[in-house]
Amino acid sequence: MSEMPLVLIAPSLLSADFANFAQAARQAAEAGAEFLHFDVMDGVFVPNITFGPQTVRALRHHSDAIFDVHLMIVQPERYIEEFAQAGADIITVHAEASTHLQRTLARIRECGARAGVSLNPATPLNAIEYVLPDIDLLLIMTVNPGFGGQEFIPEMLRKIARARAMLDEAGSDAWLEVDGGINGATTPLVVRAGARVLVAGSAVFGHPDGVRAGVEELRQAVWEAQERV
Ligand code: DX5
Ligand code: ZN
């Protein structure tokens, strides 16, 4: 088992109580989640609106988790510095939202954060083929972004597997992250396809038995997937 790749859990605040993010961050950390995932939405790139850098900054005082900031906003380059200064450890932009993607990714690293790029379900992998050296994380959306609680799109399994092969062939050690519809049932599928970071909103913060049970259920599913390899 020791050679099994590490799979990390990234609970998404989108499904937490918006009146009590500090408690949600604490519960996620106590349950052993390594990342805390922030879904930043502008009402333009996606239909929904959530929060901005002030929220990241405020929570920085409450958590030592890796702050994984997923920008679902147009022209994300306008806000990179602000999110980095607010305490984001990883800043992920959408390839569809940034015209000069390579420059945007380089800027994230210049600001001291790790650079992530995300692809909507319909966006082909070749959109990022030439920026692989510039990324620390590749986020494959497994739903169309905008809302929590949507169903996993099964066709994305093929995309995750191809992304895994693409990163491995390039010798990249970027994290391969998946986001949307991740739960106890889909976790074994995405882990076997090569995902290494699992974003989960409703499966963690909406778990009927609480946050700890939600994280543990995902861990158990990871473990079972790896046992059966
Ligand atoms: C979707 C967001 C996700 C969302 C996932 O736009 O990027 O991070 O919180 O929610 P679940 O896990 O409920 O599908
Ligand atoms: Zn997200």
Side-chain angles (χ1 to χ4, degrees):
M1 285 303 294
S2 57
E3 72 278 11
M4 282 301 164
L6 205 59
V7 176
L8 309 177
I9 311 283
S12 165
L13 288 172
L14 188 63
S15 298
D17 176 1
F18 269 49
N20 220 337
F21 275 167
Q23 174 182 284
R26 198 165 45 246
Q27 288 173 333
E30 281 168 8
E34 293 89 353
F35 283 22
L36 190 63
H37 188 81
F38 291 75
D39 284 307
V40 177
M41 305 187 185
D42 66 353
V44 180
F45 183 70
V46 290
N48 203 358
I49 299 179
T50 54
F51 44 74
Q54 298 91 333
T55 305
V56 174
R57 186 186 303 279
L59 285 171
R60 199 63 282 186
H61 306 295
H62 294 268
S63 173
D64 294 326
I66 295 172
F67 276 15
D68 177 28
V69 176
H70 177 194
L71 299 183
M72 285 161 276
I73 65 175
V74 295
Q75 299 173 0
E77 51 280 354
R78 293 172 301 155
Y79 289 101
I80 283 163
E81 205 172 329
E82 258 187 86
F83 278 102
Q85 284 174 0
D89 296 298
I90 305 165
I91 300 176
T92 297
V93 299
H94 269 263
E96 304 87 356
S98 186
T99 308
H100 305 291
L101 183 59
Q102 196 280 335
R103 179 189 290 155
T104 304
L105 294 167
R107 182 82 191 118
I108 296 173
R109 283 182 172 170
E110 275 167 26
C111 289
R114 300 204 189 201
V117 65
S118 180
L119 301 176
N120 283 336
T123 305
L125 275 177
N126 64 18
I128 50 108
E129 186 178 350
Y130 299 106
V131 294
L132 286 180
D134 303 294
I135 67 169
D136 302 301
L137 180 146
L138 171 57
L139 170 53
I140 303 291
M141 289 307 301
T142 43
V143 298
N144 289 291
F147 304 96
Q150 303 182 79
E151 242 179 74
F152 182 85
I153 300 171
E155 185 65 8
M156 293 303 107
L157 286 175
R158 203 158 60 86
K159 193 175 184 183
I160 297 162
R162 290 182 60 194
R164 176 79 270 150
M166 199 171 167
L167 292 172
D168 290 349
E169 274 162 32
S172 167
D173 57 5
W175 281 305
L176 182 55
E177 181 177 58
V178 291
D179 186 359
I182 302 300
N183 54 37
T186 52
T187 287
L189 308 177
V190 297
V191 169
R192 275 189 226 125
R196 299 289 178 262
V197 183
L198 311 179
V199 178
S202 35
V204 170
F205 291 112
H207 196 285
D209 300 327
V211 171
R212 179 177 292 276
V215 171
E216 277 170 8
E217 190 172 314
L218 295 175
R219 287 255 190 252
Q220 180 70 20
V222 169
W223 188 76
E224 280 165 19
Q226 294 187 327
E227 270 281 273
R228 260 187 263 126
V229 170

